[in-house]
Amino acid sequence: MGMYCVANELSTLKMGMYCVANELSTFKNKSAMKLRVIRTYLVPLRRGSLEIKSQEIVFHDSEGTVIHAHVPKTLVENTVIHAHVPKTLTYKTSMHEYMLQFNHETIMKEIRSDKFPWHMYRLKPFNSLKGNPTLDDKHLIDIIGRIVQIHGPQEKIIGGHNTRLIDFVLEDAL
């Protein structure tokens, strides 16, 4: 995926002074960051709808710190967008204390750099996930493993819709 500079003022972007995700705070919310996209996905307005509610982007910085960004529907198709740093929201998919909330002042510019590191995966050992009550199921985690057992499909009603679920067991590849 691409690498981007994200800032909330063009002057900050032009100065070339970038912060990393671990330097963010509620007092330092007007900064430029160099980030690489790990994942991006569109959130529909409601289940089965073609109307878009938002775009969610998972980035990593040069230190490998992962941070989630929310782009509201009104800005999804814009190329010039700006961000501020709110406190944790309930659907945040990274473990970082903050998430980026894009607004009409956010500027996102694609850049090229061979020196920016690739930290694409956040691998976790399978036994650290299995039965871990402190694990937040909203956080995205990369798992490398193989399916060793598949249970028959189950029909459940989720959000008023009939949904087919399949349980399976993964074996840690390590």
Side-chain angles (χ1 to χ4, degrees):
M1 298 258 180
M3 196 174 115
Y4 296 88
C5 285
V6 177
N8 57 345
E9 292 178 358
L10 190 56
S11 60
T12 308
L13 196 61
K14 286 181 178 179
M15 290 173 26
M17 297 173 53
Y18 304 103
C19 76
V20 292
N22 287 330
E23 294 174 346
L24 294 174
S25 73
T26 53
F27 301 108
K28 186 175 187 175
N29 61 7
K30 292 190 184 256
S31 302
M33 302 176 76
K34 278 188 184 180
L35 303 165
R36 185 180 306 276
V37 175
I38 298 174
R39 290 180 183 90
T40 183
Y41 53 95
L42 296 173
V43 177
L45 188 59
R46 60 191 156 280
R47 184 181 212 139
S49 172
L50 296 177
E51 191 174 348
I52 301 301
K53 178 180 178 182
S54 66
Q55 180 176 14
E56 306 302 314
I57 307 171
V58 181
F59 290 108
H60 76 77
D61 66 10
S62 60
E63 295 180 340
T65 303
V66 175
I67 190 161
H68 181 131
H70 170 79
V71 183
K73 171 187 174 178
T74 56
L75 302 176
V76 168
E77 293 185 13
N78 294 354
T79 55
V80 179
I81 39 188
H82 305 299
H84 72 282
V85 186
K87 219 33 175 161
T88 304
L89 298 176
T90 58
Y91 55 87
K92 181 174 72 78
T93 59
S94 76
M95 294 174 215
H96 197 279
E97 180 181 7
Y98 297 102
M99 81 180 263
L100 302 176
Q101 175 71 42
F102 282 48
N103 61 41
H104 286 81
E105 296 174 355
T106 305
I107 299 167
M108 186 165 144
K109 178 181 175 186
E110 187 168 7
I111 59 171
R112 303 213 181 270
S113 174
D114 295 332
K115 297 178 183 177
F116 197 88
W118 288 82
H119 297 286
M120 293 300 292
Y121 303 105
R122 294 170 290 162
L123 298 174
K124 300 278 186 188
F126 187 66
N127 60 0
S128 74
L129 303 174
K130 186 178 178 183
N132 183 347
T134 63
L135 187 66
D136 187 342
D137 63 357
K138 292 180 183 77
H139 294 169
L140 298 177
I141 297 171
D142 298 305
I143 299 174
I144 295 179
R146 65 184 178 123
I147 297 174
V148 294
Q149 188 175 22
I150 299 175
H151 301 280
Q154 299 176 23
E155 299 282 334
K156 291 191 176 184
I157 296 176
I158 299 177
H161 293 76
N162 200 13
T163 306
R164 192 171 193 190
L165 302 174
I166 298 176
D167 277 339
F168 55 89
V169 177
L170 289 177
E171 180 179 79
D172 194 338
L174 302 175

